[in-house]
Amino acid sequence: MTLLPRRVQYLLVLTLALWALQGVFRVLFWGLLSELPIAAEGYLLKAFWVGLRFDLRVALLAALATLPWLLLPRFSAVNYALLRRLLGYWFGIILLVILMMYVFDAGHYLYLSKRIDASVTRFSSDIGISSAMVWQSYPVIQISLAIVATWSLGYWAHKRFALPLLTQEKTRRRWYSNCVHIVVIGALFLLILLGRWSLVPLRWNHAFFNGDAQVAALGLNPFVWVYYTASFTTATSATEQDLQPHLQTLSHLLGAEFPSDGAAILDRWETPSAPVVSAQQSTPNLVIVFMESLGASHIGAYGNKLNPTPNIDALISQSRWYPHFNVPARSTAKSVFTSITGIPDVSAIKTATRNPFITHQRSVINSFVAHEKHYMLGGSAGWANMSALIHNSIQGVTLYEEKYWSSPIIDVWGISDHSLFSEASDVLSQAQTPFLGYIQTAANHSPHTIADDKTGFVEQQQSPKDLKDNGFISVKQYNAVRLLDHNIGKMFENFKRKGLYDNTIFVLFSDHQASSAKVDFLPEYIFQFGIAELPVPLIIHAPSMVTPEVDNTFGGLPDLLPTIAGLFPKPYLNTTLGRDLAWAKGKDLPGYGFVQDSRTSVAVNGKEIASVNHITGKVVSADIDEKGVAHISPTPNAMVDAANAYYLAAQYLLKANAVKPK
């Protein structure tokens, strides 16, 4: 006589087996992928326990997915060998889905330092490029073989140990015994699904109990996290009425009276307060350099001890440098959008560039009417639909991408950065009028290809400890940063050689930090508030026009074009959510960041910081001490108003700034 019904035995064994499998993956994640220490610290064990409960929930749901083969009293896998065989096939599909999810989750974490979420669907719109990047970045064949081996072992174990449970001789039980089984097993399953002994079930926010994104990653389950992020219901737009309570705050942040009578209520005409170009001199050229994945922690001037960026460090000493500059969100496509429109891309799942209804945006870049406009990148501008934004929003632009260049394509991101700089200088040297060149690099990105450009670059080795202490996840990433720096140096040599240097203003920035790994030379508050991927440099270099200085004004990517326009004497229509940082100097105004996966806005000015979660409504305010450590305050500070105002204004402008194509 068996204590439990055959179907219940099968479900329990299947649940435990799938739980154990996910538990193994969780241990591997902690030991091999996470930057967290392997230690019996209370917060780490708590996160691990939260994750195990999520794993158990997923395991039970996967087991319950076999119920269609078990429920019918006479026509079920209990009674027919054919149906048991089909049940085996069905389990094989379930197991394959679980294995593939964890493989994608691991790759996603290695790529973006975060667990996989619903925004991963954005890569499906560029499946060719995404697939090529995966093939070039990861050992796909070895991973595939490991999946096949694990799947085969699981399929065999299911056939050998689980299916025979259904063929046991049936035990006759009295009706009240069956009732007890139903109540007890039902209660157990309900408790597993709830995940905790409470009327409030285990939810994603329980993994974020201490505010550290890496600790939260240890507590998340990929299936659960994809489900929750897909079901977030933040609004995709805000109206003028939504902005009314925040117009006073926005007037303070942007230095203008709102509402205006422009096409959008935040439109305003700006007269530069500190231009460096006089009305009498010849109009200088502009070169904007987009440095892929070069965040603050990988730059020597910020304190990195491995000397990865000697050329950029030297450039900083000869330029106006904004060390407290950040991008609003960690995404290349989002940063391209914001650099052109001046609007933080606070889209919940995909990027604004992928929304065909808002790719025709007004841009401050169009105020440079005297300049030829050239947008140049080494790969395809079809990635994330960026080409539509570029063509629709920059008037008269000429777009150059991989099919235009004569240099060989070296990987999924097109030609090498050195080749891009070289051929871009050839294009710009042919300009008949002042030019505006936007050069978007890509080599400092997985698969971190080191191109053989015959320019004297030599790879270096560093110890794993030194790499980790300085924010690098691998020696490949370290050398990719060094190569980008090397090519920046070669770019300036090339521009000088071709006579394009003296009358050109160079503006360099990055799209995001490549890693959120904690380092001791950046302020603690960026790690406390989960914005470690957002700090990047802004460098303005024009020795004959711009006096070198370290400007500690806090700012962000929406400020890029207003700050560039502020270098010139001509008034311009500012349609952005940014301001001229020369005007903002000394005003203690905040920068803005948006953490996409948790839908959280953060505003910080170096003295105060605050975050607002737009799903839960949770608000956290803190004062920042002289060492850069945030101390939580029970009283909301001014940064709360700024975070809310920026978020709603960004939602509003995503649509209000869009214009219908002519």
Side-chain angles (χ1 to χ4, degrees):
M1 176 178 177
T2 58
L3 180 63
L4 295 174
R6 293 169 291 179
R7 293 175 177 85
V8 173
Q9 290 184 54
Y10 173 80
L11 291 174
L12 288 176
V13 167
L14 196 56
T15 299
L16 291 174
L18 294 177
W19 187 31
L21 177 65
Q22 293 182 93
V24 170
F25 289 147
R26 187 164 300 280
V27 171
L28 293 175
F29 174 83
W30 190 358
L32 300 180
L33 301 183
S34 174
E35 295 290 331
L36 297 172
I38 306 297
E41 299 287 348
Y43 70 99
L44 295 174
L45 296 177
K46 180 177 179 180
F48 192 79
W49 174 234
V50 169
L52 286 178
R53 285 181 285 162
F54 278 134
D55 296 342
L56 184 57
R57 177 190 294 175
V58 171
L60 176 58
L61 290 173
L64 293 176
T66 65
L67 282 179
W69 305 96
L70 304 174
L71 281 179
L72 294 178
R74 295 186 182 275
F75 301 98
S76 73
V78 173
N79 301 312
Y80 291 97
L82 175 60
L83 293 178
R84 284 194 295 276
R85 181 183 300 176
L86 294 177
L87 174 58
Y89 297 155
W90 181 243
F91 167 78
I93 294 174
I94 293 172
L95 180 60
L96 182 61
V97 169
I98 292 174
L99 293 176
M100 294 303 297
M101 174 62 87
Y102 275 92
V103 167
F104 288 138
D105 179 51
H108 193 272
Y109 194 84
L110 288 171
Y111 180 28
L112 297 175
S113 298
K114 61 180 65 176
R115 303 300 292 264
I116 193 170
D117 59 37
S119 67
V120 73
T121 56
R122 69 189 186 276
F123 296 119
S124 64
S125 60
D126 305 287
I127 192 66
I129 295 176
S130 299
S131 300
M133 193 276 288
V134 169
W135 179 261
Q136 295 171 13
S137 302
Y138 304 107
V140 175
I141 294 177
Q142 293 91 323
I143 292 172
S144 300
L145 292 175
I147 292 174
V148 171
T150 305
W151 182 89
S152 300
L153 179 61
Y155 184 83
W156 172 84
H158 176 262
K159 183 177 180 180
R160 177 68 175 81
F161 299 108
L163 286 180
L165 295 174
L166 300 175
T167 63
Q168 299 176 89
E169 184 178 349
K170 182 177 181 180
T171 300
R172 299 291 180 180
R173 294 182 177 85
R174 297 184 180 276
W175 66 269
Y176 54 82
S177 177
N178 289 330
C179 291
V180 170
H181 281 136
I182 292 173
V183 172
V184 173
I185 298 302
L188 175 63
F189 283 3
L190 180 61
L191 180 60
I192 291 173
L193 293 175
L194 288 174
R196 59 202 300 256
W197 190 262
S198 171
L199 292 177
V200 179
L202 185 69
R203 291 176 178 157
W204 66 271
N205 55 290
H206 292 107
F208 289 81
F209 62 86
N210 80 334
D212 189 314
Q214 291 198 45
V215 174
L218 180 60
L220 292 173
N221 175 285
F223 288 97
V224 174
W225 191 227
V226 167
Y227 168 77
Y228 276 121
T229 52
S231 60
F232 285 159
T233 56
T234 50
T236 57
S237 63
T239 65
E240 293 183 9
Q241 289 69 33
D242 295 325
L243 281 188
Q244 290 299 324
H246 303 279
L247 290 180
Q248 185 175 353
T249 298
L250 290 168
S251 294
H252 172 68
L253 294 172
L254 303 178
E257 291 298 319
F258 301 124
S260 72
D261 57 1
I265 62 172
L266 300 182
D267 287 358
R268 67 272 187 198
W269 279 93
E270 305 272 19
T271 299
S273 60
V276 300
V277 178
S278 69
Q280 291 74 35
Q281 73 180 88
S282 60
T283 302
N285 306 308
L286 274 170
V287 171
I288 301 172
V289 181
F290 179 114
M291 301 182 293
E292 172 67 42
S293 301
L294 187 66
S297 72
H298 289 171
I299 298 175
Y302 285 88
N304 192 292
K305 301 175 183 65
L306 296 184
N307 191 33
T309 54
N311 292 293
I312 292 173
D313 296 341
L315 182 69
I316 282 174
S317 69
Q318 304 165 28
S319 308
R320 182 188 296 173
W321 173 40
Y322 292 93
H324 301 295
F325 190 79
N326 67 269
V327 294
R330 193 239 196 261
S331 163
T332 296
K334 284 178 178 289
S335 288
V336 169
F337 181 87
T338 302
S339 71
I340 292 174
T341 67
I343 302 168
D345 182 355
V346 293
S347 304
I349 300 296
K350 294 190 175 183
T351 62
T353 60
R354 292 178 166 93
N355 185 340
F357 299 106
I358 60 173
T359 56
H360 197 115
Q361 294 275 335
R362 297 181 297 163
S363 174
V364 171
I365 207 168
N366 294 318
S367 66
F368 296 98
V369 293
H371 290 74
E372 291 183 17
K373 300 176 183 67
H374 305 269
Y375 195 108
M376 294 165 279
L377 72 164
S380 171
W383 169 254
N385 197 34
M386 291 189 299
S387 59
L389 174 74
I390 295 165
H391 280 304
N392 291 338
S393 302
I394 304 177
Q395 296 170 8
V397 69
T398 303
L399 174 62
Y400 305 83
E401 47 186 329
E402 62 183 12
K403 60 188 177 183
Y404 174 85
W405 309 118
S406 60
S407 299
I409 293 174
I410 62 167
D411 63 15
V412 64
W413 305 119
I415 67 175
S416 71
D417 285 349
H418 175 74
S419 297
L420 174 63
F421 286 139
S422 178
E423 295 205 44
S425 66
D426 291 338
V427 169
L428 298 177
S429 65
Q430 301 301 314
Q432 301 301 308
T433 65
F435 58 76
L436 188 159
Y438 190 126
I439 307 175
Q440 182 179 339
T441 71
N444 184 30
H445 189 293
S446 183
H448 299 129
T449 302
I450 304 298
D452 184 13
D453 288 314
K454 311 297 183 184
T455 61
F457 178 78
V458 178
E459 296 185 54
Q460 293 182 0
Q461 299 297 315
Q462 297 288 348
S463 71
K465 182 181 185 304
D466 286 343
L467 290 170
K468 180 178 179 181
D469 290 346
N470 287 276
F472 293 102
I473 61 175
S474 68
V475 72
K476 288 182 64 176
Q477 185 187 66
Y478 167 67
N479 279 306
V481 169
R482 292 183 57 248
L483 179 60
L484 173 59
D485 174 79
H486 176 82
N487 287 329
I488 291 290
K490 293 297 181 183
M491 179 197 75
F492 278 102
E493 291 178 9
N494 200 16
F495 273 70
K496 289 176 181 178
R497 188 166 54 250
K498 294 182 179 179
L500 301 175
Y501 176 79
D502 292 332
N503 195 40
T504 299
I505 298 174
F506 296 88
V507 180
L508 298 87
F509 74 98
S510 177
D511 58 336
H512 57 75
Q513 174 84 305
S515 169
S516 60
K518 190 173 182 179
V519 294
D520 59 13
F521 50 84
L522 292 182
E524 179 71 17
Y525 68 78
I526 69 172
F527 304 103
Q528 291 175 278
F529 278 75
I531 55 172
E533 296 171 317
L534 306 186
V536 300
L538 174 62
I539 305 166
I540 302 177
H541 180 76
S544 63
M545 291 171 271
V546 178
T547 302
E549 66 170 318
V550 178
D551 191 327
N552 288 307
T553 302
F554 276 69
L557 197 51
D559 306 319
L560 177 70
L561 288 178
T563 299
I564 294 174
L567 301 173
F568 294 78
K570 184 179 178 181
Y572 63 96
L573 176 64
N574 193 344
T575 58
T576 76
L577 201 52
R579 57 192 175 239
D580 180 359
L581 293 179
W583 168 85
K585 188 173 184 177
K587 293 182 170 61
D588 287 335
L589 298 174
Y592 172 75
F594 178 66
V595 184
Q596 181 178 350
D597 53 2
S598 61
R599 311 300 190 269
T600 299
S601 288
V602 180
V604 58
N605 68 355
K607 298 177 180 178
E608 296 178 315
I609 188 171
S611 66
V612 179
N613 187 292
H614 302 295
I615 302 166
T616 65
K618 182 180 180 181
V619 174
V620 180
S621 297
D623 298 318
I624 300 173
D625 65 23
E626 65 277 3
K627 295 182 179 179
V629 178
H631 302 277
I632 305 301
S633 168
T635 305
N637 57 34
M639 298 298 102
V640 175
D641 292 336
N644 277 316
Y646 270 125
Y647 179 69
L648 287 172
Q651 285 192 324
Y652 164 73
L653 285 176
L654 284 176
K655 290 189 176 180
N657 193 58
V659 295
K660 293 182 179 180
K662 295 180 180 179

